[in-house]
Structure formats: C-alpha cells, structure tokens
Short mmCIF file of all heavy atoms in Angstrom, two decimals:
data_model
loop_
_atom_site.label_atom_id
_atom_site.label_comp_id
_atom_site.label_asym_id
_atom_site.label_seq_id
_atom_site.Cartn_x
_atom_site.Cartn_y
_atom_site.Cartn_z
N MET W 18 -9.42 -26.97 -57.90
CA MET W 18 -8.65 -25.77 -58.23
C MET W 18 -7.77 -25.35 -57.06
O MET W 18 -8.14 -25.50 -55.91
CB MET W 18 -9.61 -24.62 -58.56
CG MET W 18 -9.71 -24.38 -60.06
SD MET W 18 -10.50 -22.83 -60.46
CE MET W 18 -12.15 -23.11 -59.76
N ALA W 19 -6.61 -24.82 -57.39
CA ALA W 19 -5.70 -24.34 -56.35
C ALA W 19 -5.16 -22.98 -56.76
O ALA W 19 -5.25 -22.61 -57.92
CB ALA W 19 -4.57 -25.33 -56.16
N ASP W 20 -4.61 -22.26 -55.79
CA ASP W 20 -3.98 -20.99 -56.11
C ASP W 20 -2.83 -21.23 -57.09
O ASP W 20 -2.14 -22.23 -57.01
CB ASP W 20 -3.41 -20.34 -54.85
CG ASP W 20 -4.52 -19.83 -53.94
OD1 ASP W 20 -5.69 -19.92 -54.33
OD2 ASP W 20 -4.19 -19.33 -52.85
N LYS W 21 -2.65 -20.27 -57.99
CA LYS W 21 -1.57 -20.41 -58.97
C LYS W 21 -0.63 -19.24 -58.82
O LYS W 21 -1.05 -18.12 -58.55
CB LYS W 21 -2.17 -20.33 -60.39
CG LYS W 21 -2.51 -21.65 -60.98
CD LYS W 21 -2.85 -21.42 -62.45
CE LYS W 21 -3.52 -22.62 -63.05
NZ LYS W 21 -3.96 -22.34 -64.43
N THR W 22 0.64 -19.50 -59.03
CA THR W 22 1.61 -18.41 -59.04
C THR W 22 1.90 -18.05 -60.49
O THR W 22 2.30 -18.90 -61.28
CB THR W 22 2.91 -18.83 -58.34
OG1 THR W 22 2.60 -19.28 -57.03
CG2 THR W 22 3.87 -17.66 -58.23
N LEU W 23 1.66 -16.80 -60.82
CA LEU W 23 1.92 -16.32 -62.19
C LEU W 23 2.99 -15.23 -62.14
O LEU W 23 3.23 -14.64 -61.09
CB LEU W 23 0.64 -15.75 -62.79
CG LEU W 23 -0.57 -16.70 -62.87
CD1 LEU W 23 -1.78 -15.94 -63.40
CD2 LEU W 23 -0.28 -17.89 -63.76
N VAL W 24 3.61 -15.00 -63.27
CA VAL W 24 4.64 -13.95 -63.34
C VAL W 24 4.08 -12.76 -64.12
O VAL W 24 3.55 -12.92 -65.22
CB VAL W 24 5.92 -14.49 -64.01
CG1 VAL W 24 6.95 -13.38 -64.16
CG2 VAL W 24 6.49 -15.64 -63.21
N CYS W 25 4.20 -11.60 -63.52
CA CYS W 25 3.68 -10.38 -64.15
C CYS W 25 4.47 -10.03 -65.40
O CYS W 25 5.69 -10.04 -65.40
CB CYS W 25 3.73 -9.24 -63.15
SG CYS W 25 3.24 -7.67 -63.85
N LYS W 26 3.74 -9.71 -66.45
CA LYS W 26 4.32 -9.36 -67.74
C LYS W 26 5.05 -8.02 -67.68
O LYS W 26 6.00 -7.78 -68.40
CB LYS W 26 3.14 -9.24 -68.71
CG LYS W 26 3.46 -9.07 -70.15
CD LYS W 26 2.14 -9.09 -70.91
CE LYS W 26 2.34 -8.82 -72.39
NZ LYS W 26 2.15 -7.43 -72.76
N ASP W 27 4.57 -7.15 -66.82
CA ASP W 27 5.13 -5.79 -66.77
C ASP W 27 6.34 -5.69 -65.84
O ASP W 27 7.38 -5.18 -66.22
CB ASP W 27 4.07 -4.80 -66.31
CG ASP W 27 3.18 -4.38 -67.47
OD1 ASP W 27 3.33 -4.96 -68.56
OD2 ASP W 27 2.35 -3.49 -67.29
N CYS W 28 6.21 -6.15 -64.60
CA CYS W 28 7.29 -5.95 -63.63
C CYS W 28 8.08 -7.23 -63.37
O CYS W 28 9.12 -7.19 -62.71
CB CYS W 28 6.74 -5.36 -62.33
SG CYS W 28 5.66 -6.47 -61.43
N GLY W 29 7.61 -8.36 -63.88
CA GLY W 29 8.34 -9.60 -63.73
C GLY W 29 8.24 -10.24 -62.35
O GLY W 29 8.89 -11.23 -62.07
N LYS W 30 7.40 -9.65 -61.50
CA LYS W 30 7.22 -10.21 -60.15
C LYS W 30 6.19 -11.32 -60.18
O LYS W 30 5.27 -11.31 -60.98
CB LYS W 30 6.71 -9.11 -59.21
CG LYS W 30 7.82 -8.28 -58.61
CD LYS W 30 7.21 -7.44 -57.50
CE LYS W 30 7.85 -6.06 -57.46
NZ LYS W 30 7.01 -5.08 -56.77
N GLU W 31 6.35 -12.23 -59.23
CA GLU W 31 5.35 -13.29 -59.11
C GLU W 31 4.15 -12.77 -58.32
O GLU W 31 4.30 -11.95 -57.42
CB GLU W 31 5.95 -14.48 -58.38
CG GLU W 31 6.99 -15.21 -59.21
CD GLU W 31 7.46 -16.48 -58.53
OE1 GLU W 31 7.21 -16.66 -57.34
OE2 GLU W 31 8.08 -17.30 -59.22
N PHE W 32 3.00 -13.21 -58.71
CA PHE W 32 1.79 -12.88 -57.95
C PHE W 32 0.87 -14.09 -57.94
O PHE W 32 1.03 -15.01 -58.75
CB PHE W 32 1.09 -11.66 -58.55
CG PHE W 32 0.54 -11.86 -59.94
CD1 PHE W 32 -0.80 -12.17 -60.13
CD2 PHE W 32 1.36 -11.74 -61.04
CE1 PHE W 32 -1.32 -12.35 -61.41
CE2 PHE W 32 0.85 -11.92 -62.34
CZ PHE W 32 -0.48 -12.22 -62.51
N ILE W 33 -0.04 -14.09 -56.99
CA ILE W 33 -0.93 -15.24 -56.82
C ILE W 33 -2.25 -15.01 -57.55
O ILE W 33 -2.90 -13.98 -57.37
CB ILE W 33 -1.23 -15.47 -55.32
CG1 ILE W 33 0.07 -15.63 -54.52
CG2 ILE W 33 -2.13 -16.68 -55.13
CD1 ILE W 33 0.87 -16.88 -54.84
N PHE W 34 -2.59 -15.94 -58.37
CA PHE W 34 -3.91 -15.97 -59.01
C PHE W 34 -4.73 -16.93 -58.16
O PHE W 34 -4.60 -18.15 -58.25
CB PHE W 34 -3.73 -16.50 -60.45
CG PHE W 34 -4.98 -16.46 -61.29
CD1 PHE W 34 -5.97 -15.52 -61.09
CD2 PHE W 34 -5.14 -17.38 -62.32
CE1 PHE W 34 -7.10 -15.49 -61.90
CE2 PHE W 34 -6.26 -17.36 -63.13
CZ PHE W 34 -7.24 -16.40 -62.91
N THR W 35 -5.51 -16.37 -57.27
CA THR W 35 -6.17 -17.19 -56.25
C THR W 35 -7.29 -18.05 -56.84
O THR W 35 -7.80 -17.77 -57.92
CB THR W 35 -6.77 -16.32 -55.14
OG1 THR W 35 -7.81 -15.53 -55.68
CG2 THR W 35 -5.73 -15.42 -54.50
N GLU W 36 -7.66 -19.03 -56.09
CA GLU W 36 -8.75 -19.91 -56.45
C GLU W 36 -10.02 -19.11 -56.73
O GLU W 36 -10.73 -19.35 -57.69
CB GLU W 36 -8.97 -20.85 -55.26
CG GLU W 36 -9.50 -22.19 -55.63
CD GLU W 36 -9.63 -23.07 -54.39
OE1 GLU W 36 -8.74 -23.05 -53.53
OE2 GLU W 36 -10.65 -23.76 -54.29
N GLY W 37 -10.26 -18.15 -55.86
CA GLY W 37 -11.46 -17.30 -56.01
C GLY W 37 -11.43 -16.51 -57.30
O GLY W 37 -12.44 -16.38 -57.98
N GLU W 38 -10.25 -15.97 -57.63
CA GLU W 38 -10.11 -15.20 -58.87
C GLU W 38 -10.27 -16.11 -60.09
O GLU W 38 -10.84 -15.71 -61.09
CB GLU W 38 -8.75 -14.51 -58.90
CG GLU W 38 -8.69 -13.30 -58.00
CD GLU W 38 -7.28 -12.75 -57.87
OE1 GLU W 38 -6.32 -13.54 -57.93
OE2 GLU W 38 -7.15 -11.55 -57.70
N GLN W 39 -9.74 -17.31 -59.98
CA GLN W 39 -9.88 -18.26 -61.09
C GLN W 39 -11.34 -18.57 -61.33
O GLN W 39 -11.80 -18.63 -62.48
CB GLN W 39 -9.12 -19.54 -60.78
CG GLN W 39 -7.61 -19.36 -60.79
CD GLN W 39 -6.89 -20.63 -60.38
OE1 GLN W 39 -7.13 -21.69 -60.94
NE2 GLN W 39 -6.01 -20.53 -59.41
N ALA W 40 -12.09 -18.73 -60.25
CA ALA W 40 -13.52 -19.01 -60.37
C ALA W 40 -14.23 -17.81 -61.00
O ALA W 40 -15.11 -17.97 -61.85
CB ALA W 40 -14.10 -19.30 -58.99
N PHE W 41 -13.81 -16.61 -60.61
CA PHE W 41 -14.38 -15.38 -61.15
C PHE W 41 -14.12 -15.29 -62.66
O PHE W 41 -15.03 -14.99 -63.44
CB PHE W 41 -13.78 -14.18 -60.41
CG PHE W 41 -14.21 -12.86 -60.94
CD1 PHE W 41 -15.45 -12.32 -60.59
CD2 PHE W 41 -13.38 -12.13 -61.78
CE1 PHE W 41 -15.85 -11.08 -61.07
CE2 PHE W 41 -13.78 -10.88 -62.27
CZ PHE W 41 -15.01 -10.38 -61.92
N TYR W 42 -12.90 -15.57 -63.05
CA TYR W 42 -12.54 -15.52 -64.47
C TYR W 42 -13.37 -16.54 -65.27
O TYR W 42 -13.84 -16.24 -66.35
CB TYR W 42 -11.04 -15.83 -64.64
CG TYR W 42 -10.19 -14.59 -64.71
CD1 TYR W 42 -10.17 -13.68 -63.66
CD2 TYR W 42 -9.41 -14.32 -65.82
CE1 TYR W 42 -9.39 -12.54 -63.71
CE2 TYR W 42 -8.62 -13.17 -65.88
CZ TYR W 42 -8.62 -12.29 -64.83
OH TYR W 42 -7.85 -11.18 -64.90
N LYS W 43 -13.51 -17.70 -64.71
CA LYS W 43 -14.25 -18.76 -65.38
C LYS W 43 -15.71 -18.35 -65.56
O LYS W 43 -16.31 -18.53 -66.61
CB LYS W 43 -14.17 -20.03 -64.54
CG LYS W 43 -14.27 -21.28 -65.37
CD LYS W 43 -13.93 -22.49 -64.53
CE LYS W 43 -14.16 -23.78 -65.30
NZ LYS W 43 -13.87 -24.95 -64.47
N GLU W 44 -16.24 -17.78 -64.50
CA GLU W 44 -17.63 -17.34 -64.50
C GLU W 44 -17.86 -16.29 -65.57
O GLU W 44 -18.91 -16.24 -66.21
CB GLU W 44 -17.94 -16.78 -63.11
CG GLU W 44 -19.40 -16.58 -62.82
CD GLU W 44 -19.57 -15.85 -61.50
OE1 GLU W 44 -19.26 -16.46 -60.46
OE2 GLU W 44 -19.99 -14.69 -61.51
N LYS W 45 -16.87 -15.41 -65.74
CA LYS W 45 -16.97 -14.34 -66.73
C LYS W 45 -16.66 -14.82 -68.14
O LYS W 45 -16.79 -14.08 -69.10
CB LYS W 45 -15.99 -13.20 -66.38
CG LYS W 45 -16.32 -12.50 -65.09
CD LYS W 45 -17.43 -11.49 -65.33
CE LYS W 45 -17.82 -10.83 -64.03
NZ LYS W 45 -19.01 -10.00 -64.16
N GLY W 46 -16.18 -16.06 -68.24
CA GLY W 46 -15.87 -16.63 -69.53
C GLY W 46 -14.51 -16.20 -70.07
O GLY W 46 -14.25 -16.33 -71.26
N PHE W 47 -13.65 -15.65 -69.20
CA PHE W 47 -12.30 -15.29 -69.63
C PHE W 47 -11.48 -16.57 -69.79
O PHE W 47 -11.39 -17.37 -68.87
CB PHE W 47 -11.60 -14.39 -68.62
CG PHE W 47 -12.29 -13.09 -68.37
CD1 PHE W 47 -12.17 -12.44 -67.16
CD2 PHE W 47 -13.07 -12.49 -69.36
CE1 PHE W 47 -12.81 -11.22 -66.92
CE2 PHE W 47 -13.71 -11.27 -69.14
CZ PHE W 47 -13.58 -10.64 -67.91
N GLU W 48 -10.89 -16.74 -70.95
CA GLU W 48 -10.09 -17.95 -71.16
C GLU W 48 -8.64 -17.76 -70.77
O GLU W 48 -7.92 -18.71 -70.55
CB GLU W 48 -10.19 -18.37 -72.62
CG GLU W 48 -11.53 -19.05 -72.89
CD GLU W 48 -11.71 -19.40 -74.34
OE1 GLU W 48 -10.70 -19.47 -75.06
OE2 GLU W 48 -12.86 -19.60 -74.74
N ASN W 49 -8.20 -16.51 -70.74
CA ASN W 49 -6.80 -16.25 -70.43
C ASN W 49 -6.59 -15.92 -68.97
O ASN W 49 -7.42 -15.29 -68.34
CB ASN W 49 -6.29 -15.09 -71.28
CG ASN W 49 -6.37 -15.41 -72.76
OD1 ASN W 49 -6.08 -16.53 -73.17
ND2 ASN W 49 -6.79 -14.45 -73.55
N GLU W 50 -5.45 -16.32 -68.47
CA GLU W 50 -5.07 -15.95 -67.12
C GLU W 50 -4.58 -14.51 -67.13
O GLU W 50 -4.15 -14.01 -68.16
CB GLU W 50 -3.95 -16.88 -66.64
CG GLU W 50 -4.43 -18.30 -66.52
CD GLU W 50 -3.29 -19.27 -66.24
OE1 GLU W 50 -2.14 -18.91 -66.51
OE2 GLU W 50 -3.58 -20.37 -65.75
N PRO W 51 -4.67 -13.84 -65.98
CA PRO W 51 -4.18 -12.46 -65.95
C PRO W 51 -2.68 -12.39 -66.23
O PRO W 51 -1.93 -13.25 -65.79
CB PRO W 51 -4.49 -11.99 -64.52
CG PRO W 51 -4.66 -13.24 -63.73
CD PRO W 51 -5.15 -14.29 -64.68
N LEU W 52 -2.28 -11.38 -66.99
CA LEU W 52 -0.87 -11.26 -67.37
C LEU W 52 -0.11 -10.38 -66.40
O LEU W 52 1.11 -10.41 -66.36
CB LEU W 52 -0.76 -10.65 -68.77
CG LEU W 52 -1.37 -11.48 -69.90
CD1 LEU W 52 -1.33 -10.69 -71.19
CD2 LEU W 52 -0.62 -12.79 -70.07
N ARG W 53 -0.86 -9.57 -65.66
CA ARG W 53 -0.20 -8.59 -64.79
C ARG W 53 -0.61 -8.75 -63.34
O ARG W 53 -1.74 -9.16 -63.05
CB ARG W 53 -0.54 -7.18 -65.24
CG ARG W 53 0.02 -6.87 -66.59
CD ARG W 53 -0.38 -5.50 -67.06
NE ARG W 53 0.17 -5.29 -68.38
CZ ARG W 53 -0.44 -5.65 -69.50
NH1 ARG W 53 -1.62 -6.20 -69.46
NH2 ARG W 53 0.14 -5.45 -70.65
N CYS W 54 0.29 -8.36 -62.44
CA CYS W 54 -0.02 -8.40 -61.02
C CYS W 54 -1.03 -7.29 -60.70
O CYS W 54 -1.20 -6.35 -61.48
CB CYS W 54 1.25 -8.23 -60.21
SG CYS W 54 1.99 -6.60 -60.33
N PRO W 55 -1.70 -7.41 -59.58
CA PRO W 55 -2.73 -6.42 -59.23
C PRO W 55 -2.20 -4.99 -59.24
O PRO W 55 -2.91 -4.08 -59.66
CB PRO W 55 -3.15 -6.84 -57.81
CG PRO W 55 -2.85 -8.28 -57.75
CD PRO W 55 -1.64 -8.50 -58.62
N GLU W 56 -0.97 -4.78 -58.81
CA GLU W 56 -0.41 -3.42 -58.78
C GLU W 56 -0.29 -2.85 -60.19
O GLU W 56 -0.63 -1.70 -60.43
CB GLU W 56 0.96 -3.41 -58.11
CG GLU W 56 0.91 -3.57 -56.61
CD GLU W 56 1.06 -5.04 -56.23
OE1 GLU W 56 2.11 -5.61 -56.53
OE2 GLU W 56 0.12 -5.61 -55.65
N CYS W 57 0.21 -3.66 -61.11
CA CYS W 57 0.38 -3.19 -62.48
C CYS W 57 -0.98 -2.98 -63.15
O CYS W 57 -1.15 -2.05 -63.92
CB CYS W 57 1.23 -4.15 -63.30
SG CYS W 57 2.96 -4.10 -62.81
N ARG W 58 -1.92 -3.82 -62.82
CA ARG W 58 -3.26 -3.66 -63.38
C ARG W 58 -3.85 -2.34 -62.91
O ARG W 58 -4.46 -1.60 -63.67
CB ARG W 58 -4.17 -4.81 -62.93
CG ARG W 58 -4.27 -5.90 -63.99
CD ARG W 58 -5.13 -7.03 -63.54
NE ARG W 58 -4.35 -7.99 -62.77
CZ ARG W 58 -4.90 -8.92 -61.99
NH1 ARG W 58 -6.19 -9.04 -61.90
NH2 ARG W 58 -4.13 -9.74 -61.32
N LYS W 59 -3.65 -2.06 -61.63
CA LYS W 59 -4.16 -0.83 -61.06
C LYS W 59 -3.48 0.38 -61.70
O LYS W 59 -4.12 1.36 -62.04
CB LYS W 59 -3.91 -0.83 -59.54
CG LYS W 59 -4.99 -0.11 -58.77
CD LYS W 59 -5.06 -0.57 -57.35
CE LYS W 59 -4.03 0.08 -56.46
NZ LYS W 59 -4.04 -0.41 -55.09
N ALA W 60 -2.17 0.27 -61.85
CA ALA W 60 -1.40 1.37 -62.44
C ALA W 60 -1.87 1.65 -63.87
O ALA W 60 -1.99 2.81 -64.27
CB ALA W 60 0.08 1.02 -62.43
N ARG W 61 -2.12 0.60 -64.61
CA ARG W 61 -2.57 0.77 -66.00
C ARG W 61 -3.94 1.40 -66.07
O ARG W 61 -4.21 2.23 -66.91
CB ARG W 61 -2.59 -0.58 -66.72
CG ARG W 61 -1.23 -1.05 -67.14
CD ARG W 61 -1.31 -2.40 -67.77
NE ARG W 61 -2.00 -2.34 -69.05
CZ ARG W 61 -1.40 -2.07 -70.20
NH1 ARG W 61 -0.11 -1.85 -70.23
NH2 ARG W 61 -2.07 -2.02 -71.33
N LYS W 62 -4.80 1.01 -65.15
CA LYS W 62 -6.14 1.57 -65.09
C LYS W 62 -6.06 3.07 -64.83
O LYS W 62 -6.72 3.87 -65.47
CB LYS W 62 -6.90 0.90 -63.95
CG LYS W 62 -8.31 0.48 -64.31
CD LYS W 62 -8.95 -0.03 -63.06
CE LYS W 62 -10.09 -0.99 -63.32
NZ LYS W 62 -10.51 -1.62 -62.07
N GLN W 63 -5.21 3.41 -63.86
CA GLN W 63 -5.02 4.80 -63.48
C GLN W 63 -4.50 5.61 -64.66
O GLN W 63 -4.97 6.71 -64.93
CB GLN W 63 -3.98 4.85 -62.35
CG GLN W 63 -4.07 6.12 -61.53
CD GLN W 63 -4.98 5.90 -60.33
OE1 GLN W 63 -5.01 4.82 -59.78
NE2 GLN W 63 -5.72 6.90 -59.94
N GLN W 64 -3.55 5.03 -65.37
CA GLN W 64 -2.94 5.71 -66.49
C GLN W 64 -3.97 5.97 -67.59
O GLN W 64 -4.01 7.04 -68.17
CB GLN W 64 -1.83 4.82 -67.04
CG GLN W 64 -0.73 5.59 -67.72
CD GLN W 64 0.47 4.70 -67.93
OE1 GLN W 64 0.31 3.51 -68.20
NE2 GLN W 64 1.65 5.23 -67.81
N ARG W 65 -4.79 4.97 -67.82
CA ARG W 65 -5.80 5.10 -68.85
C ARG W 65 -6.76 6.23 -68.48
O ARG W 65 -7.16 7.02 -69.32
CB ARG W 65 -6.56 3.78 -68.99
CG ARG W 65 -7.13 3.63 -70.38
CD ARG W 65 -7.40 2.18 -70.72
NE ARG W 65 -8.12 1.49 -69.68
CZ ARG W 65 -7.87 0.23 -69.30
NH1 ARG W 65 -6.93 -0.44 -69.88
NH2 ARG W 65 -8.56 -0.35 -68.36
N ARG W 66 -7.08 6.31 -67.21
CA ARG W 66 -8.00 7.34 -66.75
C ARG W 66 -7.37 8.73 -66.96
O ARG W 66 -8.02 9.64 -67.38
CB ARG W 66 -8.35 7.12 -65.28
CG ARG W 66 -9.59 7.88 -64.88
CD ARG W 66 -9.97 7.61 -63.44
NE ARG W 66 -10.17 6.18 -63.17
CZ ARG W 66 -9.82 5.57 -62.02
NH1 ARG W 66 -9.26 6.26 -61.07
NH2 ARG W 66 -10.04 4.30 -61.84
N ASN W 67 -6.07 8.82 -66.66
CA ASN W 67 -5.38 10.09 -66.86
C ASN W 67 -5.38 10.49 -68.33
O ASN W 67 -5.60 11.65 -68.65
CB ASN W 67 -3.93 9.99 -66.36
CG ASN W 67 -3.87 9.95 -64.84
OD1 ASN W 67 -4.84 10.31 -64.17
ND2 ASN W 67 -2.76 9.51 -64.31
N ASN W 68 -5.14 9.53 -69.18
CA ASN W 68 -5.13 9.82 -70.61
C ASN W 68 -6.50 10.29 -71.07
O ASN W 68 -6.60 11.22 -71.86
CB ASN W 68 -4.74 8.57 -71.41
CG ASN W 68 -3.27 8.25 -71.25
OD1 ASN W 68 -2.49 9.12 -70.85
ND2 ASN W 68 -2.89 7.02 -71.54
N GLU W 69 -7.52 9.68 -70.57
CA GLU W 69 -8.87 10.08 -70.94
C GLU W 69 -9.16 11.50 -70.52
O GLU W 69 -9.73 12.28 -71.26
CB GLU W 69 -9.89 9.14 -70.29
CG GLU W 69 -10.13 7.90 -71.14
CD GLU W 69 -10.87 6.82 -70.37
OE1 GLU W 69 -11.51 7.14 -69.35
OE2 GLU W 69 -10.79 5.65 -70.78
N ASN W 70 -8.73 11.83 -69.31
CA ASN W 70 -8.94 13.19 -68.82
C ASN W 70 -8.24 14.21 -69.71
O ASN W 70 -8.78 15.27 -69.98
CB ASN W 70 -8.42 13.32 -67.37
CG ASN W 70 -9.36 12.61 -66.41
OD1 ASN W 70 -10.49 12.28 -66.76
ND2 ASN W 70 -8.89 12.38 -65.19
N ARG W 71 -7.03 13.86 -70.11
CA ARG W 71 -6.26 14.79 -70.93
C ARG W 71 -6.95 15.03 -72.26
O ARG W 71 -7.10 16.17 -72.70
CB ARG W 71 -4.86 14.24 -71.17
CG ARG W 71 -3.81 15.01 -70.38
CD ARG W 71 -2.45 14.86 -70.99
NE ARG W 71 -2.01 13.49 -71.06
CZ ARG W 71 -1.50 12.78 -70.02
NH1 ARG W 71 -1.39 13.35 -68.85
NH2 ARG W 71 -1.13 11.54 -70.15
N SER W 72 -7.38 13.96 -72.92
CA SER W 72 -7.97 14.14 -74.24
C SER W 72 -9.33 14.83 -74.11
O SER W 72 -9.77 15.52 -75.01
CB SER W 72 -8.11 12.80 -74.95
OG SER W 72 -8.87 11.92 -74.17
N PHE W 73 -9.96 14.64 -72.97
CA PHE W 73 -11.26 15.27 -72.75
C PHE W 73 -11.15 16.78 -72.69
O PHE W 73 -12.01 17.51 -73.11
CB PHE W 73 -11.87 14.73 -71.44
CG PHE W 73 -13.26 15.19 -71.18
CD1 PHE W 73 -14.31 14.74 -71.96
CD2 PHE W 73 -13.53 16.05 -70.14
CE1 PHE W 73 -15.61 15.15 -71.71
CE2 PHE W 73 -14.82 16.48 -69.87
CZ PHE W 73 -15.87 16.02 -70.66
N ARG W 74 -10.01 17.24 -72.14
CA ARG W 74 -9.82 18.68 -71.94
C ARG W 74 -9.44 19.42 -73.21
O ARG W 74 -9.56 20.62 -73.26
CB ARG W 74 -8.72 18.89 -70.90
CG ARG W 74 -9.32 19.33 -69.57
CD ARG W 74 -8.23 19.55 -68.56
NE ARG W 74 -8.55 18.87 -67.33
CZ ARG W 74 -7.65 18.55 -66.41
NH1 ARG W 74 -6.39 18.84 -66.59
NH2 ARG W 74 -8.01 17.94 -65.32
N LYS W 75 -8.98 18.68 -74.21
CA LYS W 75 -8.49 19.35 -75.41
C LYS W 75 -9.60 20.05 -76.17
O LYS W 75 -10.69 19.52 -76.27
CB LYS W 75 -7.81 18.32 -76.32
CG LYS W 75 -6.33 18.37 -76.18
CD LYS W 75 -5.68 17.34 -77.10
CE LYS W 75 -4.29 17.03 -76.61
NZ LYS W 75 -3.74 15.85 -77.26
ZN1 ZN D 16 3.47 -6.22 -62.05
#
C-alpha cells in the first residue's frame, strides 16, 4: 500500500489518503475511499453539530 492522492468532492483540492488511513478504513470494513479532505470533513461535522443544537433548542 502507498499514500494516495484524492480530490475533495467539496472544495476540489487534492489531499493525501495516507497508508495508515487506508489501513484504518480497511480494518473498519469501509469499501469507499474518503470523498472529502480532512478540512471539509471537519467542517461538515461541525455543521451537523450546530444543526443538532438548533433543533434541540426548539
Ligand atoms: Zn475539501
């Protein structure tokens, strides 16, 4: 296995899917490669959390 360069679906930037991450994905049984760079993944997580907070307060 070697590091792979993937293109983020959201921002179109290239990011590295490292050997270690590939091993992690395999171990977890994920068949798909990540579609987003770490920054976009983080941003989406944050956004989801914000949405949850909002609906919680209603
Ligand atoms: Zn991105």
Side-chain angles (χ1 to χ4, degrees):
M18 257 194 297
D20 289 357
K21 267 190 194 174
T22 305
L23 302 176
V24 177
C25 175
K26 188 176 176 265
D27 278 7
C28 67
K30 274 191 217 159
E31 290 187 345
F32 65 98
I33 305 293
F34 186 29
T35 65
E36 210 178 319
E38 284 171 329
Q39 290 176 53
F41 176 80
Y42 265 59
K43 208 170 174 182
E44 194 188 292
K45 295 280 177 189
F47 299 152
E48 283 176 20
N49 298 320
E50 294 172 340
L52 297 174
R53 294 177 181 87
C54 68
E56 286 93 63
C57 288
R58 262 179 274 164
K59 213 157 81 183
R61 282 177 68 87
K62 225 186 204 170
Q63 202 93 34
Q64 207 166 36
R65 206 158 49 220
R66 198 178 303 143
N67 288 343
N68 288 342
E69 274 166 20
N70 287 344
R71 252 203 301 281
S72 56
F73 186 70
R74 255 181 229 159
K75 260 180 201 167

